[in-house]
């Protein structure tokens, strides 16, 4: 009896018995009776291979990927249609495939599963790329039958949801993988539903046990847990103020009304005395999401014996739209989880707000007309939306999702940005994006949407064309050759510091409707201007910057960093205030405090905390006014520079009130009332700078950084990324510049190693350097 006949006989025997009585291996053998010969051939080929072992280790300054004991350059292939792009990716140097899987197709009924669809799918990928390794992205959506069975466990939104939103037909991103993103919004299981959590956990365990019993485990290097809106754990139905379901009421209630959550005419900061219930609901709501994600990751580690890696999308801080409802505002359960090895996110998507520009141009200006920078496209910063230094400090590999469209895409270039419609422009963008992964010591993957129609029209791979294949392969070869030999420790002298919980107590994104500025959609004022737009200038300050959560600051940071940018540290406890005072006191650093540092306490506004941190005395201005400052600095570098900020009126604002005999330096005033809004002074062994609004233009940031003693790597306001072993500079304008490095590095294209390089570059040119 041959193998197929043996399997058929086994299948006939098992079919008469409940599968619950059998081991994962017996279940796997039963399911394989339906597989065709080509799939069985692929599985037979793997039988002699040992189970894959994959891990992420913290070594030589950063996280490193090890596969079966060997360090590998951590770069992966992702696609909306992997079966059509796997071979072209392999040609460009990528054999690590990250297919997107929708498990709901295999969850056929309560307690019943059929995973043969995925066996076939994985086997086909391995037939196309015989030396591939896989780590699937597992989307944990509730099947339609489950939602029909459990109507009381579904999300209930606080605002009216258009009826047609519940009748969206299935739109499979990839039919063979079962991925259907139209299942996810807003008709979904409440993330607080204990029934959904329990049964989804059982389903996930069954799938993993099936894979562990399969010869495929020799090629499974890990799994990513994904879910909710776009698979990135943005709460379902987030446009309509979720979640008023009974499960969420039990988990996070009482739930305030939508009107109180939005508070349309309210201030930029919530009063903890009157809005305590709103703040506390949001905290529990976000805690539930983070803890649930971490619990799914724990299942992956348990079922695989911790033999392979597990990761997820999470910890988004910058450009997290609809942030009070869809954000990751309690990141600690995920960030601190021992079961999560990596965090991934797409890089910046910020749209242009320049009149006359298309949104994909992504140039950003403030309301005074100051060019803040460009996000995507040629010359853009391509910056990350997570706090990458916090990823490193928590032993998490950071993976940048690079999903830029290219010159082969005729429909639109919102993913690629300005210049992506030309060969030369596309190559500059790819060199920046992959070069940034290489120079910073992080990881990345290319995400090819070229076969996804609608909305795109290429109907081919975005990255499969000889010029791109050559460029991608050369950069991946560089990584494979050099990464294991380099120290990838950070080298920044600037820290940009963020407080996620501040958004629990700042003005809701929906209160900003209608958005008056073309480039702003579904974003809150603090997020769009003080965080996202401010990042454009921080990223092109001309020196590397570390982005970090406030709670990840360490005592030795007082000697490492010369400049701290305290972006949105509004919501602090007394203990957190004290730790910052100890950190900065006597450090000799410069600390820039934005808007309302420490002003929001657990139970009430804490103006005393604001004064203790900054050593300025303030008065609160409650009459709404423009968030715009007139600069009073008369030094040559800034003599033509005047206003910066946002014209839309908001409140409260804060003004510095000089104490009698106090020596402060006044740098700017509110444009409408002549009150001091920008000042600095020496305090307790550090320089304290207060600025009442954002975004601060790059000219001011460079002026402050230079006075703080920060080494400017570029003589121009360029995008600079670096680790101890490598560096990248992206030109922010045309002309000559001098690049000064802390130790000798050589251009990757050839040339002598030096600490000083004089470069002539055009806007958007990318140069990479490696330590000699």
């Amino acid at each position: 009896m041959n193998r197929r006949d043996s399997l058929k006989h086994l299948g006939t025997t098992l079919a008469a018995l409940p599968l619950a009585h059998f081991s994962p291996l017996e279940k796997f053998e039963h399911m394989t009776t339906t597989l065709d010969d080509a799939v069985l051939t692929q599985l037979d080929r793997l039988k002699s291979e040992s189970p894959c072992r994959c891990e992420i280790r913290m070594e030589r300054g950063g996280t490193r990927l090890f596969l079966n004991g060997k360090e590998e350059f951590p770069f992966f292939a992702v696609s909306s249609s992997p079966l059509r792009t796997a071979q072209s990716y392999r040609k460009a140097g990528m054999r690590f495939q990250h297919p997107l899987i929708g498990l709901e197709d295999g969850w056929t009924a309560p307690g019943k599963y059929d995973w043969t669809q995925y066996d076939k799918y994985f086997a086909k990928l391995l037939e196309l790329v015989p030396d591939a390794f896989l780590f699937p992205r597992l989307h944990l959506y509730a099947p339609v039958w489950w939602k029909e069975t459990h109507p009381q466990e579904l999300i209930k939104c606080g605002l009216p949801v258009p009826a047609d939103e519940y009748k969206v037909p299935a739109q499979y991103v990839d039919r063979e993988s079962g991925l259907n993103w139209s299942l996810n919004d807003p008709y979904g299981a409440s993330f607080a539903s204990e029934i959904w959590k329990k049964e989804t956990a059982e389903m996930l365990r069954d799938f993993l046990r099936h894979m562990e019993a399969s010869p495929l485990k020799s090629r499974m290097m890990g799994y990513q847990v994904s879910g909710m809106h776009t698979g990135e754990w943005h709460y379902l139905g987030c446009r309509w103020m979720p979640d008023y379901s009974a499960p969420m009421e039990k988990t996070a209630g009482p739930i305030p009304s939508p009107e109180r959550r939005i508070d349309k005419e309210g201030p930029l900061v919530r009063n903890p005395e009157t809005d305590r219930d709103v703040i506390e609901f949001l905290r529990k709501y976000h805690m539930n999401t983070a803890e649930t994600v971490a619990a799914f990751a724990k299942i992956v580690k348990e079922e695989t014996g911790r033999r392979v890696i597990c990761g997820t999308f999470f910890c988004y801080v910058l450009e997290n739209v609809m942030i009070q409802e869809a954000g990751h505002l309690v990141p600690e359960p995920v960030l601190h989880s021992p079961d999560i090895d990596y965090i991934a996110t797409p890089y910046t998507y910020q749209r242009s707000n320049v009149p006359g520009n298309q949104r994909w141009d992504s140039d950003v200006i403030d309301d005074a007309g100051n060019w803040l920078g460009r996000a995507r496209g040629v010359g853009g910063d391509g910056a990350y939306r997570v706090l990458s230094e916090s990823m490193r400090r928590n032993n998490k590999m950071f993976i940048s999702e690079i999903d830029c469209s290219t010159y082969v895409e005729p429909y639109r270039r919102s993913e690629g940005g300005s210049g992506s419609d030309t060969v030369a422009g596309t190559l500059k963008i790819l060199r920046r994006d992959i070069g940034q992964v290489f120079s910073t010591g992080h990881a990345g993957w290319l995400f090819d949407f070229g076969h996804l129609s609608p909305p795109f029209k290429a109907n081919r791979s975005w990255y499969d064309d000889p010029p791109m294949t050559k460029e991608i392969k050369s950069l991946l070869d560089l990584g494979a050759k050099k990464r294991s030999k380099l120290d990838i420790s950070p080298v920044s002298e600037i820290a940009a510091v963020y407080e996620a919980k501040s958004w629990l107590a700042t003005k809701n994104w929906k209160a900003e409707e209608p958005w008056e500025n073309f480039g702003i959609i579904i974003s809150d004022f603090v997020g769009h201007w003080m965080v996202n737009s401010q990042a454009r200038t921080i990223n092109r300050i001309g020196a590397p910057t570390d982005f970090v959560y406030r709670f990840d600051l360490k005592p030795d940071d007082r000697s490492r960093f010369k400049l701290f940018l305290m972006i949105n540290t509004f919501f602090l406890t007394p203990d957190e205030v004290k730790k910052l005072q100890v950190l900065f006191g006597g450090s000799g650093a410069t600390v820039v405090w934005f808007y309302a540092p420490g002003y929001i306490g657990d139970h009430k506004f804490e103006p005393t905390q604001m004064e203790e941190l900054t050593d300025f005395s303030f008065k609160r201005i409650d009459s709404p006014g423009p968030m715009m400052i007139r600069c009073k600095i008369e030094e040559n570098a800034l003599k033509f520079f005047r206003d910066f900020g946002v014209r839309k009126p908001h409140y409260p604002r804060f003004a510095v009130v000089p104490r009698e005999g106090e020596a402060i330096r006044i740098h700017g005033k509110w444009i409408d009332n002549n009150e001091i809004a920008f000042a600095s002074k020496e305090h307790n062994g550090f320089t304290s700078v207060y600025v009442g609004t954002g975004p601060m233009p790059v000219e001011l940031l460079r002026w402050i950084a230079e006075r703080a003693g920060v080494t400017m790597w570029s003589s121009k306001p360029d995008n600079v990324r670096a680790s101890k072993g490598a560096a990248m500079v992206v030109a922010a304008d045309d002309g000559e510049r001098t690049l000064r490095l802390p130790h000798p590095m050589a251009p990757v294209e050839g040339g002598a190693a030096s600490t000083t390089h004089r470069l002539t570059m055009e806007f958007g040119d990318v140069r990479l350097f490696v330590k000699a």
Side-chain angles (χ1 to χ4, degrees), residues 92-328:
M94 284 169 276
R95 65 188 179 110
F96 303 150
Q97 301 279 336
H98 182 54
L100 279 60
I101 305 298
L103 293 183
E104 62 271 13
D105 275 10
W107 187 2
T108 58
K112 295 184 178 180
Y113 317 103
D114 181 357
W115 307 121
T116 53
Q117 169 183 349
Y118 309 100
D119 295 326
K120 295 176 183 179
Y121 190 74
F122 297 144
K124 286 182 180 179
L125 278 172
L126 293 173
E127 183 179 13
L128 291 168
V129 183
D131 65 344
F133 284 83
L134 313 177
F135 75 114
R137 183 185 305 179
L138 307 178
H139 291 79
L140 305 177
Y141 297 137
V144 171
W145 65 260
W146 192 97
K147 293 184 281 191
E148 291 174 344
T149 304
H150 301 285
Q152 298 308 310
E153 301 297 314
L154 303 185
I155 291 167
K156 182 178 179 181
C157 293
L159 296 179
V161 179
D164 58 1
E165 292 289 341
Y166 290 106
K167 299 178 181 178
V168 179
Q171 180 190 353
Y172 281 93
V173 174
D174 187 343
R175 186 64 183 83
E176 291 186 84
S177 74
L179 179 59
N180 171 21
W181 271 342
S182 289
L183 283 177
N184 70 354
D185 203 3
Y187 179 44
S190 169
F191 220 56
S193 167
E194 293 301 326
I195 296 173
W196 176 79
K197 291 180 188 180
K198 176 179 179 294
E199 296 185 1
T200 298
E202 292 169 352
M203 178 272 294
L204 178 59
R205 287 187 187 277
D206 195 88
F207 172 81
L208 292 167
R209 288 169 184 172
H210 176 83
M211 288 297 139
E212 285 293 288
S214 165
L216 287 164
K217 74 176 179 180
S218 70
R219 298 301 183 89
M220 290 293 179
M221 61 189 296
Y223 299 91
Q224 176 167 317
V225 290
S226 286
M228 292 192 174
H229 186 75
T230 65
E232 297 169 271
W233 304 117
H234 304 312
Y235 208 91
L236 303 181
C238 43
R239 292 174 182 267
W240 299 284
M241 305 298 287
D243 174 7
Y244 289 83
S245 66
M248 186 58 77
E249 182 72 32
K250 181 179 179 180
T251 296
I255 307 176
S257 69
E259 292 75 19
R260 290 199 55 237
R261 287 165 64 180
I262 297 170
D263 195 16
K264 179 70 174 177
E265 303 302 324
L268 285 177
V269 289
R270 289 187 179 277
N271 188 335
E273 292 185 88
T274 58
D275 282 353
R276 182 68 186 170
D277 58 334
V278 177
I279 296 169
E280 187 62 14
F281 160 68
L282 288 173
R283 186 190 67 80
K284 292 178 181 178
Y285 168 94
H286 287 284
M287 178 69 78
N288 173 72
T289 296
E291 290 179 342
T292 304
V293 173
F296 287 140
K298 188 172 188 289
I299 289 171
V300 172
K301 287 295 190 177
E302 288 175 346
E303 295 299 333
T304 61
R306 310 192 75 82
R307 199 187 66 255
V308 298
I309 62 174
C310 179
T312 193
F313 290 123
F314 216 77
C315 300
Y316 295 18
V317 172
L318 296 102
E319 300 175 45
N320 195 331
V321 296
M322 302 175 282
I323 195 164
Q324 280 84 9
E325 277 61 51
H328 304 145

Side-chain angles (χ1 to χ4, degrees), residues 673-741:
N673 59 20
N674 208 37
E675 300 277 7
I676 300 170
F678 180 17
S680 66
K681 64 176 297 186
E682 305 311 312
H683 166 59
N684 193 27
F686 72 94
T687 300
S688 180
V689 181
Y690 173 76
V691 59
T693 190
M696 181 180 283
V698 72
E699 294 87 350
L700 277 177
L701 283 180
R702 282 176 65 89
W703 177 76
I704 292 172
E706 288 169 350
R707 288 165 65 94
V710 172
T711 300
M712 290 289 110
W713 289 44
S714 176
S715 58
K716 291 207 170 196
D718 291 327
N719 292 289
V720 175
R721 307 287 184 270
S723 60
K724 282 188 177 179
M728 178 185 76
V729 58
V730 182
D733 63 8
D734 298 338
E736 295 183 358
R737 67 254 298 127
T738 300
L739 188 66
R740 294 181 175 87
L741 306 174

